[in-house]
Amino acid sequence: MKEWEIVIGIETHVQLATRAKIFSASPTAFGAGPNLQANAIDIALPGVLPVLNKTAVEFAIRFGLATGSDIAPCSIFARKNYFYPDLPKGYQISQYESPVVVGGELAIQVGKETRIVRLTRAHLEEDAGKSLHEAAGHSPRGKSGIDLNRAGTPLLEIVSEPDMRSSAEAVAYARALHALVRWIGICDGNMQEGSFRCDANVSVRPLGQRDFGTRREIKNLNSFRFLQQAIDYEVCWQIATLEDGGEIEQATVLFDADSGETRAMRSKEDAHDYRYFPDPDLLPLVIDRAWVDRIRAELPELPAAKRQRLVSDYGLSDYDAVVLTSSQEMAAYFESAVAVAGKSNAKICANWLMGELSARLNREGREIDATPLSASQLGGLVARIADGTISTPVARQVFDALCEDSGVSADEIISRRGLRQISDSDALEEIIDAVLTANRTMVDEFRAGKEKAFNALVGQAMKASKGRANPHQVNELLRRKLS
Amino acid sequence: MIASNLQQLAEALIRKTISSVELTQLYLDRIARHDHQLNAYITVDAAASLAQARWADQRLAKGEGGPLTGIPIAHKDIFCAAGWRTTCGSRMLDNFVSPYDATVIRRFAEAGAVLLGKTNMDEFAMGSSNETSFFGPVRNPWDVSCVPGGSSGGSAAAVAARLAPAATGTDTGGSIRQPAALCNLTGLKPTYGIVSRWGMIAFASSLDQAGMLAPSAADCARLLNVMAGFDERDSTSLDRPTEDYCREIDARQADKPLAGLKIGLPKQFFGAGSDPQVMRLIEAAIVDYQTLGAEIVDTSLPNMDLSVAAYYVIAPAEASSNLARFDGVRYGYRTPVYRDLNEMYSRSRAEGFGAEVKRRLLIGTYVLSHGYYDAYYLQAQRIRRLIANDFAEAFRHCDLLLGPTSPSTAFKLGAKAADPVQMYLSDIYTIAVNLAGLPGVSIPCGFADGLPVGLQLIGNYFSEARLLNAAHRYQQSNPWHLRLPPAFAE
């Protein structure tokens, strides 16, 4: 049996988080009643004209700068002509032959390994509206409705080179892209609402063959899980087809999330002739250097640069750096916490953020921007752990208390509840003597050679101190007294 | 009153020798009396017009008048006007009432003008005779068995018969200048981009330009002052300083008012193919221009012969896309019976569009198709650049170019209706100007067998003031434009 190589390229429609649409002043907010966010331009009344939203262009430039792409000094909006009820003008305005962003690359993390995926281009276009179909049973023949709220929403279509070789890489690419567009603030990343949708071009070829196999394009995958499932299914199907002596026909396919299968929607033969031509209502989009430079200056530190800095400045591992730069909010939280806790305590901050806090957020289904405790609260807590004021078990108590009250600091909780760690030898000795008196059996067992009994005694001492005893000192004192 | 020009009307209104309501009613009465012979109007709404006239009278009473306050103006039914049926001459929009104003309509309203009615036109501005309108052909006031030209034929017939003091039009390949020529009017197609296209129903976006038809060049200048100006809602609108297009016209009359002006005669305008009677009048006008002090020089536009062919690729290509929105889904005509979506589309469009529109949509769809795009559309765009370069070259040594507007006088209704190519050739002298985006004006220069003949002047970009002044000085000494068609002179 042959060995097969999988080849994947991804086209992503990123909905740009502009307030107004790309060619009209209508708002883009999600969830309004049908057609309430569709003005004369969006419904394509006779005589209306498009005017380009400059913010959408700025967002495209931001993306280009963040991926090391070329920003085209002049790009062209074309008309893609086809009839569909949710396409009011009978054409979609989209950049075709000359896109605004050309080339570039994106680093992706596959397990412990970093790989580079090249980008072909990114271009601006408008979204279509939505067709809503009444269930056929509802009336004799189900009616269809059109909602044009989404019509004219700005999209950046980002096209990768066919550089991915597994569904895991495809997902890693999609995740990295998703993180990046949110990081640079051009997309809200909300996949349920369709703000980030992927099409995967999938083909297979015998390992070692230079030419690509025939590809099929899986449309509209709006979750990472579906992306993975769809590609896995498609790859198995293509390999099985070829091994059975069949041929792959170029086609557009849809992924059915219920069955987990892909099925052909249209083949190459019935592909549309879109009759692209430059839109005479819009001038060529001219971008001068000064505009690009201004946007570059306003760009936040990018995730790759920040990752490097976290490793070199704070001595974090690559893995920690990747997790902490999964979003700008996460990174900002981390850095604010470190600012309070002190640079030397960065690793402890990272551990608490990625451990205790992330677990809590996961449990509650929240993101870091809806955290129950502020970065300075966490930083204050870490500072008290690091300087030995509180023990780890006590720190968990303080953490929980901080989560309940955003107005209070770790120090206040510690003093109010008297949680300061007991490191004073006299006080500790008193506690230990009491424990030894009360647990004669255990002492005897230890003396008889049962090492476990020692741990039990430490536990008793900790318990007697309500967790405040310095465990290290308790250990030492006990050993001395029992020897 | 119907012999008054716009300046005289404005003065009469300010002096209150007549009110806007009286003036508007006068024109409404003329429409009621005469328009059954001409079919120049698609929609007249006396109540709406008179309401606007009353408002104008209130402003005049307070001395708040603008340049056109109280003057009734007819608008080609291609301009969307809020609350008005706006049909574009098509069954497709027979029932369409616009919820918004075109910028041109808004600017007229702000200048105080009264909207007198919406004029007939070739369907979606596609035609040179006004015979393709869903609302029936328009007739020429100089001979009602003849066409008025097109596509702004309703505006031309209305103003020629003085069923309006002036009217707006649009010019994609000659649609203002050719009907102006055929109806003894002055018609200006301004530089592409100086009048907003917002609210003007698109035929071929890169060529369409709004302008006006009026008796005199001075009237056109007054109207252009109102219409021209940057509009942020039209991305192809040009942001440039405001101009007073009357400034040269209003300047003092010299003995040789056009001394120093160089007028070029492109030899392509003077070859065979035009009616000899038309050419005799053009030659006479050239002599008149010399008398006014202009210097006449020979020049050439070597690629002009390719303009009709290039135009009939570019304009239909853009139209095929611009008219895709008329699909029966959201507004306009929808076929009453259909089984599925495709049938709804095809029947709505088959029934909603007329033959000429369908012909051009098919041509446009074809030339943009995969495999033909380079050979047709791109090639036509190259020719377009060559033609623009020809003009640029000519304007290096001429201030204006002069020639006939149309190769013939008005032809009989139906004479060219069966032969689209013959019809397309009626615009042979006007189309190149649109391809280059230049301003052009047609002015009356005499009569052949009782039918008006038009002279075309073409200027460089933004030279409207000079162009209109050259037209005005000619009209001062050659007042052909003051003649009225006998049947409508009363």
Side-chain angles (χ1 to χ4, degrees), chain B residues 116-417:
Chain B
L116 182 58
K118 305 292 291 290
T119 58
N120 205 343
M121 56 182 286
D122 278 301
E123 185 178 10
F124 286 104
M126 297 177 193
S128 308
S129 66
N130 222 304
E131 293 170 291
T132 71
S133 170
F134 173 65
F135 302 94
V138 178
R139 287 162 189 275
N140 191 318
W142 293 90
D143 178 348
V144 292
S145 69
C146 287
V147 303
S151 67
S152 308
S155 288
V159 179
R162 301 301 190 265
L163 308 188
T168 54
T170 59
D171 192 318
T172 304
S175 282
I176 286 175
R177 289 160 291 154
Q178 184 254 16
L182 271 44
C183 292
N184 201 44
L185 297 172
T186 306
L188 174 75
K189 180 248 154 207
T191 304
Y192 183 85
I194 71 165
V195 178
S196 169
R197 292 187 298 116
W198 171 261
M200 187 175 111
I201 300 175
F203 158 18
S205 314
S206 73
L207 300 159
D208 295 342
Q209 184 61 195
M212 71 301 285
L213 301 95
S216 70
D219 289 341
C220 288
R222 280 186 90 85
L223 296 171
L224 188 59
N225 273 351
V226 169
M227 293 172 77
F230 173 65
D231 182 2
E232 61 183 12
R233 278 182 291 200
D234 174 1
S235 307
T236 61
S237 164
L238 296 163
D239 194 358
R240 42 195 312 282
T242 322
E243 268 190 67
D244 176 9
Y245 296 100
C246 298
R247 65 181 188 273
E248 293 192 31
I249 288 171
D250 293 341
R252 212 162 54 81
Q253 173 93 38
D255 183 30
K256 294 265 182 201
L258 297 182
L261 186 77
K262 255 192 189 173
I263 299 181
L265 308 179
K267 66 175 182 198
Q268 290 74 12
F269 281 78
F270 294 87
S274 284
D275 180 342
Q277 291 200 76
V278 169
M279 292 319 290
R280 266 197 296 279
L281 290 167
I282 301 298
E283 297 292 346
I286 293 168
V287 174
D288 293 332
Y289 266 104
Q290 282 173 315
T291 311
L292 291 166
E295 184 191 343
I296 304 294
V297 296
D298 287 329
T299 186
S300 177
L301 302 168
N303 295 290
M304 205 193 89
D305 295 345
L306 301 171
S307 61
V308 175
Y311 176 87
Y312 278 98
V313 170
I314 294 168
E318 293 182 11
S320 71
S321 175
N322 281 334
L323 272 61
R325 69 188 59 197
F326 305 112
D327 56 7
V329 173
R330 299 167 314 287
Y331 54 78
Y333 179 79
R334 185 192 289 187
T335 191
V337 184
Y338 49 89
R339 278 169 305 194
D340 56 25
L341 181 63
N342 275 333
E343 198 174 271
M344 187 192 87
Y345 279 146
S346 56
R347 293 185 70 154
S348 297
R349 288 169 65 82
E351 294 160 18
F353 290 138
E356 182 60 26
V357 170
K358 278 184 264 192
R359 177 180 297 124
R360 297 202 197 186
L361 297 187
L362 287 174
I363 294 170
T365 304
Y366 178 82
V367 301
L368 289 177
S369 297
H370 188 72
Y372 297 96
Y373 179 80
D374 291 11
Y376 291 102
Y377 186 80
L378 283 187
Q379 189 69 1
Q381 292 289 12
R382 278 183 214 115
I383 292 172
R384 187 175 186 172
R385 272 192 293 280
L386 291 178
I387 288 170
N389 291 343
D390 283 357
F391 278 109
E393 190 55 40
F395 286 124
R396 283 158 64 100
H397 58 97
C398 309
D399 299 313
L400 300 177
L401 303 177
L402 182 155
T405 305
S406 167
S408 70
T409 55
F411 45 91
K412 297 284 183 195
L413 253 78
K416 296 185 184 180

Side-chain angles (χ1 to χ4, degrees), chain A residues 158-329:
Chain A
I158 300 159
V159 182
S160 84
E161 291 286 300
D163 280 357
M164 288 150 277
R165 296 289 175 269
S166 68
S167 62
E169 288 188 9
V171 170
Y173 167 81
R175 282 190 187 280
L177 189 63
H178 184 255
L180 179 66
V181 295
R182 291 181 63 202
W183 185 280
I184 59 177
I186 66 170
C187 174
D188 68 16
N190 192 322
M191 296 179 80
Q192 280 89 50
E193 292 174 6
S195 299
F196 187 93
R197 335 192 267 272
C198 294
D199 303 337
N201 282 292
V202 179
S203 65
V204 299
R205 62 181 170 188
L207 196 61
Q209 179 182 304
R210 272 189 59 181
D211 293 340
F212 290 130
T214 306
R215 66 172 197 268
R216 305 212 308 165
E217 182 181 16
I218 316 169
K219 281 275 182 198
N220 252 327
L221 298 161
N222 67 349
S223 84
F224 299 124
R225 195 161 53 90
F226 292 164
L227 179 65
Q228 177 131 29
Q229 287 175 358
I231 292 172
D232 287 343
Y233 180 88
E234 179 64 23
V235 164
C236 287
W237 182 87
Q238 287 190 16
I239 292 174
T241 303
L242 291 170
E243 287 184 344
D244 286 353
E247 269 183 42
I248 306 293
E249 231 185 285
Q250 192 177 326
T252 302
V253 305
L254 285 179
F255 175 67
D256 181 342
D258 295 329
S259 66
E261 296 175 3
T262 54
R263 64 190 152 72
M265 189 166 78
R266 55 170 186 259
S267 71
K268 196 186 177 186
E269 280 72 55
D270 41 54
H272 282 107
D273 179 356
Y274 291 117
R275 293 174 284 119
Y276 281 100
F277 75 106
D279 190 331
D281 287 332
L282 291 162
L283 302 176
L285 170 57
V286 175
I287 298 170
D288 60 26
R289 274 200 83 97
W291 195 11
V292 176
D293 289 344
R294 187 168 59 69
I295 294 168
R296 195 195 313 271
E298 289 166 1
L299 213 57
E301 184 183 20
L302 294 171
K306 183 153 288 195
R307 231 167 276 155
Q308 245 171 22
R309 197 164 55 76
L310 294 187
V311 171
S312 60
D313 286 14
Y314 299 122
L316 299 182
S317 70
D318 285 340
Y319 175 80
D320 288 351
V322 168
V323 174
L324 293 174
T325 55
S326 62
S327 75
Q328 194 152 189
E329 291 79 9

Side-chain angles (χ1 to χ4, degrees), chain B residues 83-97:
Chain B
W84 286 75
R85 185 167 74 130
T86 300
T87 70
C88 221
S90 181
R91 181 184 195 187
M92 189 57 93
L93 292 175
D94 186 20
N95 63 1
F96 177 70
V97 176

